Every structure is written in structure tokens, then in C-alpha cells.
Amino acid sequence: AGAISSLQRQLEIQESQLRRTKSENEMLHKKLRERENQLQAMSTKFCSLREEQKQEEAMVTIEKENYSLQQVVMEQECKLAEQKQLISELQGTVRQLQAEVLSGQNHIHKQQRAQEAIQSQAERLQRSELRTRVALERISSRFERFRSKIIQATFSTAGSKPPQAELTDEEVLEAMQKIINEWTEFHQMLKQKGAK
């Protein structure tokens, strides 16, 4: 934006110089026409004079001035063409920079939208994680209560000794398997004896 502002100021300066040069050029053209009119008037006037030498000297002087003015006009026209070219180049640079700024702004907007989408997704994931943690805590709590009931049922049978320390899952499974085996053997024995 700073570069565009600087170029626009430079463009305004060049356009001001262009207007001034045009004005000077018009003034020089006007002077040139006046000189030509004077030359024509002098030529007409000197035609009626008998002093041919004075007429020739005056004509030479006017022609020199006329030539000098023509040279100045040519220089001003060259300057004018250069300034027009410079203004055209500056306008092209300004348009290019404005297009780049617009492209950069579009890119920033896309990045902001992508960031907002990522932020929204992250918030959804956080909420999902929180719900999962709550569900996991509930399941863990139910599992612990279930495990406690299994241990209580396993070691509350006749002849079982309550555990002295924290039991592992394998130890609880072994104790349950032992009770199941004993009940299975007892059931087989009753069947063999014909008991219902």
C-alpha cells in the first residue's frame, strides 16, 4: 500500500509536469505563430520599402528567432513524449501493484477461513474428547464396582479366605475358575450318586 501511495504521488507529480509542459508548449506555439505573423507583416511591409539591405537583415534576424523557437518547441515535444511514456509506465506499475494487493488480500481471507475451519474442528474434537473421557470414567467406575462384586462373591464362599492384598485380574480369574471347577466336580459326583 505504501508503494502504491508513493507511485500515485509520483504519478500526480508527473501529470502536473505534463500539464505544465503542455501549457508551455502551447505558449511557444502561440509565440511561434505571432513571430510568423510578424514575419509576414514585416515581409509585406518591407516589400514596400526601398531599403533592401535593412529588410534582409530584419528577415535574417526574424528567421533566426523563428528557428530558435522551433528548436525549443521540438525539445518541449520530446519532453512531452517522454513524460507521457513515464506516466504510462507508472500507471501500469500502479495497476500491477493494486492487482497484487488484491490477490494478497484474497489469500489472507482464504487463510483466515481455513484457520476458522480448523479452529471449529479442534473445538468439536475437544468436546468429543471430553464426552469420551466422561464415558470412560463411567465405564471404569462400573467396571470397578463389577470387579469388586466378583471378588466379594468369589471369596465369600465357604472355606475361602479373604484376600490380604490387592488382587490382580489373573488372580481373581483363577479363584473363580477354581470355584467353577469345584462346583462342576461336585455336580458330577451328585449325578453319579443319582441325586437330583
Side-chain angles (χ1 to χ4, degrees):
I4 289 175
S5 178
S6 175
L7 282 170
Q8 285 176 336
R9 283 198 299 273
Q10 190 177 352
L11 187 61
E12 289 171 2
I13 291 168
Q14 289 296 326
E15 287 175 344
S16 175
Q17 289 179 354
L18 181 63
R19 287 192 296 272
R20 190 164 58 253
T21 304
K22 281 182 178 178
S23 177
E24 290 174 359
N25 201 15
E26 288 171 2
M27 190 179 298
L28 286 169
H29 274 294
K30 185 178 178 183
K31 283 184 179 179
L32 186 60
R33 285 192 300 272
E34 288 175 357
R35 289 290 184 180
E36 286 174 350
N37 291 336
Q38 285 178 2
L39 182 61
Q40 186 66 34
M42 292 283 289
S43 178
T44 305
K45 185 177 179 181
F46 284 143
C47 283
S48 63
L49 295 175
R50 296 178 181 177
E51 300 176 358
E52 293 181 0
Q53 186 176 359
K54 287 184 179 179
Q55 180 185 1
E56 288 176 1
E57 289 175 359
M59 289 288 289
V60 168
T61 303
I62 292 171
E63 284 177 357
K64 284 181 180 178
E65 290 179 358
N66 194 18
Y67 179 76
S68 176
L69 281 171
Q70 285 176 343
Q71 292 297 316
V72 172
V73 168
M74 286 174 64
E75 289 175 4
Q76 291 295 326
E77 285 177 347
C78 287
K79 275 188 187 178
L80 195 63
E82 289 175 0
Q83 286 180 340
K84 282 182 178 177
Q85 178 66 24
L86 181 58
I87 286 170
S88 177
E89 290 172 0
L90 286 172
Q91 286 174 336
T93 305
V94 167
R95 283 194 297 270
Q96 182 182 352
L97 285 173
Q98 286 174 337
E100 288 176 2
V101 167
L102 183 62
S103 174
Q105 287 174 342
N106 289 336
H107 183 63
I108 288 169
H109 289 325
K110 284 181 182 177
Q111 285 185 329
Q112 286 176 341
R113 287 195 294 272
Q115 187 175 358
E116 288 170 1
I118 291 170
Q119 183 69 28
S120 175
Q121 187 177 4
E123 289 173 359
R124 286 197 301 272
L125 288 172
Q126 285 176 346
R127 290 193 294 271
S128 176
E129 181 186 6
L130 181 61
R131 288 194 296 270
T132 305
R133 285 180 183 275
V134 170
L136 184 62
E137 287 174 3
R138 288 177 183 167
I139 291 169
S140 298
S141 176
R142 289 179 64 188
F143 176 75
E144 287 300 323
R145 288 197 300 272
F146 182 65
R147 187 174 184 274
S148 176
K149 287 180 180 179
I150 290 174
I151 293 171
Q152 184 179 358
T154 302
F155 291 97
S156 64
T157 56
S160 297
K161 294 180 181 179
Q164 300 298 319
E166 182 71 23
L167 294 173
T168 64
D169 292 342
E170 287 78 9
E171 290 172 338
V172 174
L173 187 60
E174 287 175 3
M176 285 182 65
Q177 192 65 48
K178 183 179 177 184
I179 292 170
I180 291 168
N181 292 338
E182 288 175 353
W183 274 96
T184 302
E185 289 174 2
F186 180 67
H187 184 261
Q188 290 294 331
M189 185 179 66
L190 289 175
K191 280 177 72 178
Q192 289 173 2
K193 289 184 177 181
K196 291 184 180 179

